[in-house]
Amino acid sequence: MADTQLIDCPSCGAKNRVPLSKIAQGLQPSCGRCKELLPLDSKPVTVTDGTFASVVERSPLPVLLDMWASWCGPCRMVAPIIEELAKQMAGRVRIGKLNVDENPATAARFGVQSIPTLLVLDRGREIDRIVGAQPKAVIVHRLEQALRT
């Protein structure tokens, strides 16, 4: 079932198995029980030291985790790209943002010494690392390569 995503309905609580191919086509899934529209991760999810396990390690999808800080100029340059990728890759990749100043344990766990650092993770295991502000095309290329492995 790797080519499906499990989405909980916020209205009735039903668990819905949604084919990733339908999401990739831009189709909006609806609940099989109550027919309400199901939410997609079309915005980056905030990750903290406390939520890392539930959001990243237990994610059925690979995660692109943006390690950033509010005072970091290059981080602010990358932020709109991260927002765009969350919309474009919904259903294929989960996009997360972790503020390294507020969550030092996770930053230390991955040895993040420079920001922005983008980690491509599969069940919490690092697949790739992109350090510094990079153009969208470079980020997408590296992400696509990591997803093929």
Side-chain angles (χ1 to χ4, degrees):
M1 292 292 176
D3 50 359
T4 63
Q5 180 178 2
L6 212 57
I7 302 175
D8 292 332
C9 178
S11 297
C12 70
K15 293 193 180 302
N16 294 270
R17 197 174 314 265
V18 180
L20 296 179
S21 59
K22 303 263 183 188
I23 297 171
Q25 294 171 15
L27 300 174
Q28 179 68 40
S30 60
C31 178
R33 183 187 298 162
C34 72
K35 308 302 181 212
E36 289 291 321
L37 292 179
L38 297 172
L40 294 175
D41 287 336
S42 61
K43 291 187 180 187
V45 62
T46 300
V47 179
T48 66
D49 289 342
T51 63
F52 184 84
S54 64
V55 174
V56 178
E57 291 176 348
R58 293 188 197 120
S59 174
L61 300 173
V63 176
L64 176 67
L65 185 60
D66 177 16
M67 309 287 264
W68 70 285
S70 60
W71 51 264
C72 170
C75 296
R76 289 192 301 268
M77 290 171 48
V78 170
I81 295 169
I82 299 301
E83 294 279 336
E84 289 175 29
L85 290 176
K87 289 179 188 141
Q88 291 174 0
M89 302 193 90
R92 291 185 59 212
V93 177
R94 182 173 229 185
I95 309 292
K97 293 181 70 73
L98 182 131
N99 184 319
V100 295
D101 288 338
E102 297 171 359
N103 302 282
T106 303
R109 172 181 172 184
F110 288 98
V112 173
Q113 297 179 357
S114 177
I115 53 174
T117 293
L118 304 176
L119 299 176
V120 182
L121 304 158
D122 183 23
R123 307 230 187 266
R125 187 181 58 83
E126 185 176 337
I127 298 171
D128 196 8
R129 176 181 297 231
I130 305 166
V131 179
Q134 300 291 327
K136 182 179 178 183
V138 171
I139 296 169
V140 169
H141 177 72
R142 297 274 298 273
L143 189 54
E144 293 288 351
Q145 279 185 321
L147 293 176
R148 282 190 280 248
T149 60

